[in-house]
Structures are given as structure tokens and as C-alpha cells.
Amino acid sequence: MRTHKTLAILGALLTASAMAAGPTPDYKPVTAARLANPEPENWLLTKGNYAGWSYTPLEQITPANVKRLRPVWSAATGVNSGHEAPAIVNGEYMFVATPHNQVIAYHAKTGKVLWKFVREVPEGLGALHRTNRGVSLYGDKVYVGSIDCMISALDAKTGKLLWDAQVCDWEKDSAYITSAPLVVKGKVLIGPSGGEFGVRGFLKAFDAETGKLAWTRYAVPGPGEAGFETWPQDGQWKDAWKNGGGTMWMPGNYDAKNDVIYWGVGNGAPWLGDQRPGDNLYLASVLAISPDTGNIVSHFQYHWNDSWDWAGMNAPTLVEFNRSGKKVSGLISAQRNGRLYWLERDGKGKITYNKSEAYVTNTVFASIDPKTGRPTYNEEAKPATGKTRTYCPSLWGGKDWPYEAYNPKTGMLYVPYNDNHCLTLTGMVQSIVPGQWSAGVDINKLDLSVKPGFDHIGGIQAWSVDGGKEVWRQKYPHSWNWGSILTTGSGVLFAGGTNDRMFRAYDAKSGKLLWEFPTPSGIISPPSSFSIGGKQYIAVVSGWGVDAQWIQGKMEGLAGWEKAVPEGGSVWVFALD
């Protein structure tokens, strides 16, 4: 580990210093106050604000004039694979993280490269995905996780490596990082991926100035901790908790007013629940966490004894909604299991179930308790050891990792969804060996299927948060949807996610298509918006790959779709002509 780390640091320092020649713009430090109330002209957080809205108040680009949107600049990132990070903007600085441990700083208005940071990827690293979902900002630093389990702090103006800290151990545990960090109260929070390798999930908090570890919170409780009783206590599977999954591989959201973090927890490991009998807290859950201590304040589990790889890693969006004539502080989330959840939260972070609705077909849930939200199961659709079972939606869920968006003016939640797909798999017992797949199924025998006569897979749904009903829907007859959504104060909705490489704008109230633009590759990164000198810009990173590309290959045989989408990353920035 020491040799790999030293080489990575030296390589990063050399690359950053080589790119940073010449004058650079001024940089305004990012404070806790700015993160809690970000200016409309900047995009300081992965989802735009702590609440996770993926919304900009900017109104210059409207449904009436969006057809005049034109590219201002574009730039190649120089790498392939899936680009899943948004463009983060502070003043004239734009930061884009890419696959293969790279961060590029651009001049946001012109596209000039200000600096580039590259950490060498160690030989032998076995990550399933070499993607990155973004950077975070605080003070005069940029924070980024790496697939070799490090969290790094970079000088925002030069890209110089200031400190790094080890989050996980890729050689020993096969963990790796794809998540964007989240900075809360001077702490940098991040968790690893790796559930399919038997990683026990956790979240760590580091001092933003020094990199010193502040606390660690495991998603799967150990002996003596609350929730441990939901794991096997004896017998063949009594040690299941040690490799139980629950990796926390997506950034959370934060209630700054009440000082509570909400973080999503991933799927169980192995996938087969009969190898870890019990509810298995806190798999497939949302946790309310104290940012000071990492203590769990409350939780809600979307489904118990997860056996479908329906990870609950997407943190719910913080909203307020009306119930019985009263405003309720709530959480809303379209989960991978195919249900859209309305949860309530109080000032201390206690989470309670309000309601849920199916937004895609689910063949697993036989019923839902209307008071608790707890499902009962159709056992014939629950994967198990030595059994071949089929369930819908498939493991990619009604919505995979891409972000939904909430618009406070329309009162709608916009969901990028996929329907009419199922998965058949046969369960087995697999040994946990570092660097080897151990999910309890043969990865080469995952049998994806589509419903006979299906009219579409992907699309966008708009739901009324107060009314709890779907308002409109856009269907994609020949594509899945792998794209996050951005919505604006003027009522425009931006989205990519389709295999035709298009970046699109819709009317947020009606769903009408208003504009589209073809990029060189498909778009699976979240769009963002910013303004400089009074001019509004829309930014998005194009770069197809990872699961989206794998599924595309499967759909060739299932539906005759084109086998592959061109790969290759590029940043695109648009404004009105």
C-alpha cells in the first residue's frame, strides 16, 4: 500500500503542477454558510443544495426561449468509461471528476483547462466500476474520492495535493470509492462501494482542514449495537454481519436547520437473503445521522432482508408536503424497488412512514402495511440458495443511482425511471475472497428479460408531491433512462440518459419536449446550471459506459437495439444564442 500511495501522490503532483501554468482567476472560499444557502449563480453541491433538489432558481432560460440554446464550449476529458459526475461551479471555476481518478478544473466561461489532477490507479485493483460521481468544495479546497480508497484534498486554484487519507483497503477488503463526498460542518463524509465483494458498508467523516478521521459509522451493526439482533445470532450464517453489505456509495443530504444528515444504505451481501436470515438492519434503508458523532438517530427500511440487489443508496430528497391541511417536513424518494416513498421527519431526525406508491411494476411485494410501509413478499419472486427465481423490476430497479429532481414552484418530483424489465438468477454459496465476486450468483449468468409486447423501458415521470399522483410521463420506446434530472425556476427540465446521445429540455409543467442536442456519447451525468456576468449556462458531461453500456449490449439480443453507444468523455456548456 505504501508504494502504491507514494507513486499516486508523485504522479498527481506532477500532473497538477504541469497544467496550472499561467494566471488563474480569483477563488472565493466556500463556507458552511454558503453551502447551507448556495447562491443561484453557482453550483456548489452535487445536487445543487443540501436538500438534494437538483434545482436552480435561475430563470433566464425559459420554456419560450430554450430552443435558442447553443453550445458555448466543449472539452474532451481524455478518458472513456461512464462519466457520472456533475460539473461543480464556484465563480469562474468548474470542477469535473472523471473515471480513472482524474479531476479537471476548467474556466467555467471559456472552457480553458486551469489544472488537471490524476492519481495513478494501482495495478491489480478489481473495482467493478472505475467511475466517479463528483467532487465537493469547502474553504479553498476540492475534495475527491478515488477508486483506490483514498479521499484527497486539492488546492482549488492549482490542483496541488494538500492531504489525503485512507478510507478503505482495496487490497484486503476489495472496497473502492465511486461516491462524491459531502461536506457538513467542516467534515468531509464519504463511504465505499464493494457490496458484491462482501464489504461491510460504512460512512467516515474526516476533518476538512487536516484529513484526520473524526468518526466511523457502520451500516451493518456489530455485537452490542442496536439492530444487531436483526442478523443471524447462531448457526451456519452467524457471522453474516461481518460481510453483510450495506455499502454507502452515494452522497447523502443534510437538514442544516435541524442539523441532521440523511444517508442511503445499499444492498445486502450476498444478494441472497436466506444466507443472512432476518430483517438485516440497516440494509436498503435511510439513516438519520448526527454530523458531530456519526450516531444513528433514526431509520426507515424500504424492504427487509434485501434479496434483489435493490440498494437504498439514494438519499431521499428533503421536501415539505401537505397532509390533512398541514405542512409536513418530509422526505421523498423513488427507490430501486419500484415504489415512491413519502416519509415524515421531525426536528430531531425521527423518520416515520407516511405513504408509498408503485411507480413501476413490482412482482415481489404482495402487500404493503399502510401504517408502517413494511412489505410482505411473494416468495416465488425472492432469490434463494439453490433456487432459480424471476423478479421485476430487475436489480437495476425502477430507478438506479441517477438523481430525481424537485421543483418548489411546480410542486413536482421528477423521476428518471425504467419499467418492463425483469431478472432471472440462480442462487449459490460463494466464498468471500478479496478481489473476487461473492454475491451468491454467477455474474455471467444474470438473465435479463423484458416483458412481452413492452412499449418502452425508460422515461421520466412527474409526480405531485402534495397530491401524491403522477401528473405526466415521457416514454422512451427504444432506450433505458440512465440520466439524472435538473429543473429550473423558469419551469424547464433538462435530462440526458438515453442511448441516442441526446441532451433534452422539457416543459416542467406539461412534459412537452422543447429542445434537444446530440452529444458525441450518451449522457449519464447530472446536469447543472450557473451564471457568470448575468448570463445563465447549462453544463452537462457526456460519456456513456458501465451498467448503461452492459445493458445496451443485452438489449441488442432482447429487442434488436444497437449493440453499443460510443464512449469518450466530454464536457458541454450551453447558453442562449
Side-chain angles (χ1 to χ4, degrees):
M1 286 294 292
R2 187 181 302 275
T3 301
H4 291 316
K5 181 178 177 181
T6 303
L7 287 172
I9 292 173
L10 288 173
L13 286 172
L14 288 170
T15 305
S17 61
M19 297 299 295
T24 55
D26 290 335
Y27 187 83
K28 182 180 179 180
V30 177
T31 62
R34 291 184 66 200
L35 290 175
N37 189 24
E39 312 88 3
E41 62 266 26
N42 293 312
W43 194 265
L44 300 180
L45 291 134
T46 306
K47 291 169 270 188
N49 61 14
Y50 272 144
W53 288 1
S54 294
Y55 165 81
T56 175
L58 296 176
E59 298 181 330
Q60 189 176 88
I61 299 168
T62 69
N65 64 27
V66 69
K67 60 181 177 292
R68 292 170 36 209
L69 215 57
R70 300 289 185 270
V72 175
W73 62 265
S74 65
T77 66
V79 296
N80 281 357
S81 192
H83 286 56
E84 298 183 349
I88 301 296
V89 179
N90 182 26
E92 296 182 44
Y93 284 80
M94 174 187 289
F95 306 100
V96 175
T98 78
H100 309 294
N101 285 354
Q102 177 180 246
V103 180
I104 306 174
Y106 298 96
H107 189 282
K109 187 175 181 179
T110 67
K112 175 186 176 181
V113 175
L114 302 175
W115 53 259
K116 185 183 292 186
F117 170 89
V118 182
R119 175 184 288 281
E120 181 181 341
V121 178
E123 293 183 11
L125 190 146
L128 287 180
H129 303 131
R130 294 197 171 190
T131 190
N132 187 292
R133 295 188 176 89
V135 304
S136 60
L137 309 179
Y138 189 68
D140 56 1
K141 298 178 181 64
V142 178
Y143 302 91
V144 64
S146 65
I147 54 173
D148 53 321
C149 279
M150 305 298 290
I151 180 73
S152 300
L154 314 177
D155 185 293
K157 292 187 69 173
T158 66
K160 178 183 177 182
L161 180 63
L162 301 176
W163 60 255
D164 62 4
Q166 186 174 24
V167 180
C168 43
D169 189 333
W170 67 266
E171 289 181 298
K172 178 183 176 182
D173 301 325
S174 301
Y176 57 101
I177 296 174
T178 60
S179 177
L182 180 72
V183 177
V184 173
K185 298 177 71 176
K187 296 182 180 70
V188 186
L189 282 63
I190 197 164
S193 300
E196 285 65 42
F197 296 128
V199 175
R200 178 189 176 204
F202 59 83
L203 185 65
K204 287 188 175 181
F206 298 86
D207 184 274
E209 188 60 34
T210 66
K212 181 180 179 181
L213 180 65
W215 51 257
T216 301
R217 171 54 52 200
Y218 280 93
V220 173
E225 295 180 310
F228 181 67
E229 71 280 359
T230 65
W231 289 80
Q233 303 297 301
D234 49 35
Q236 182 180 4
W237 312 115
K238 66 182 177 64
D239 291 328
W241 65 276
K242 295 180 180 179
N243 303 97
T247 48
M248 301 165 85
W249 52 272
M250 294 287 290
N253 295 324
Y254 176 52
D255 179 350
K257 178 182 177 181
N258 295 304
D259 197 27
V260 180
I261 297 167
Y262 295 92
W263 213 282
V265 181
N267 57 282
W271 289 353
L272 312 169
D274 64 348
Q275 293 183 23
R276 39 178 170 77
D279 281 11
N280 301 152
L281 292 176
Y282 295 96
L283 303 183
S285 300
V286 54
L287 301 181
I289 297 174
S290 165
D292 296 324
T293 63
N295 291 340
I296 296 174
V297 177
S298 181
H299 78 281
F300 176 80
Q301 188 172 49
Y302 300 108
H303 52 270
W304 52 277
N305 192 232
D306 176 61
S307 302
W308 306 269
D309 188 25
W310 285 339
M313 70 293 165
N314 271 122
T317 304
L318 280 63
V319 297
E320 289 188 338
F321 53 84
N322 289 309
R323 283 293 178 269
S324 303
K326 296 181 180 180
K327 271 292 184 189
V328 174
S329 293
L331 305 166
I332 188 168
S333 180
Q335 279 295 308
R336 206 148 150 174
N337 63 26
R339 293 193 72 85
L340 178 57
Y341 289 84
W342 282 258
L343 307 174
E344 297 185 28
R345 56 187 166 93
D346 68 12
K348 296 181 179 179
K350 182 180 179 181
I351 305 171
T352 53
Y353 177 76
N354 185 286
K355 65 170 285 186
S356 65
E357 299 283 348
Y359 69 97
V360 302
T361 303
N362 179 309
T363 63
V364 174
F365 292 177
S367 64
I368 302 287
D369 187 300
K371 293 183 178 180
T372 66
R374 182 181 175 88
T376 59
Y377 298 143
N378 167 16
E379 291 297 325
E380 292 303 310
K382 185 178 180 183
T385 308
K387 306 288 186 181
T388 299
R389 297 278 166 79
T390 299
Y391 64 93
C392 320
S394 72
L395 68 86
W396 291 275
K399 182 183 74 64
D400 200 70
W401 75 268
Y403 306 131
E404 57 221 8
Y406 170 68
N407 190 314
K409 290 189 173 181
T410 66
M412 295 184 203
L413 185 81
Y414 303 95
V415 180
Y417 78 96
N418 294 299
D419 201 357
N420 299 315
H421 58 97
C422 306
L423 190 72
T424 302
L425 56 82
T426 302
M428 64 178 71
V429 176
Q430 288 182 312
S431 300
I432 298 174
V433 179
Q436 293 187 17
W437 175 272
S438 58
V441 298
D442 188 336
I443 191 175
N444 297 309
K445 295 182 180 180
L446 297 178
D447 186 9
L448 180 70
S449 60
V450 293
K451 292 184 178 180
F454 77 98
D455 66 343
H456 78 293
I457 299 289
I460 298 173
Q461 296 178 22
W463 283 73
S464 167
V465 170
D466 283 343
K469 301 293 184 181
E470 183 180 333
V471 179
W472 59 258
R473 178 183 297 214
Q474 271 280 351
K475 295 181 179 180
Y476 300 144
H478 305 294
S479 181
W480 287 53
N481 188 354
W482 300 97
S484 298
I485 292 173
L486 168 72
T487 183
T488 76
S490 61
V492 182
L493 184 152
F494 290 96
T498 52
N499 56 19
D500 58 9
R501 305 178 290 112
M502 289 292 184
F503 186 45
R504 294 183 171 92
Y506 299 93
D507 186 301
K509 292 182 179 179
S510 68
K512 179 183 178 182
L513 178 64
L514 303 173
W515 170 88
E516 59 185 8
F517 181 88
T519 64
S521 183
I523 295 169
I524 58 178
S525 78
S528 57
S529 184
F530 63 97
S531 68
I532 297 176
K535 190 174 188 67
Q536 182 181 0
Y537 298 87
I538 303 294
V540 74
V541 183
S542 175
W544 197 259
V546 291
D547 288 40
Q549 193 70 290
W550 189 88
I551 291 288
Q552 187 69 20
K554 289 291 184 181
M555 293 301 295
E556 179 193 28
L558 291 171
W561 292 3
E562 185 178 352
K563 183 175 182 179
V565 176
E567 293 194 19
S570 55
V571 183
W572 289 83
V573 174
F574 301 89
L576 298 176
D577 60 13

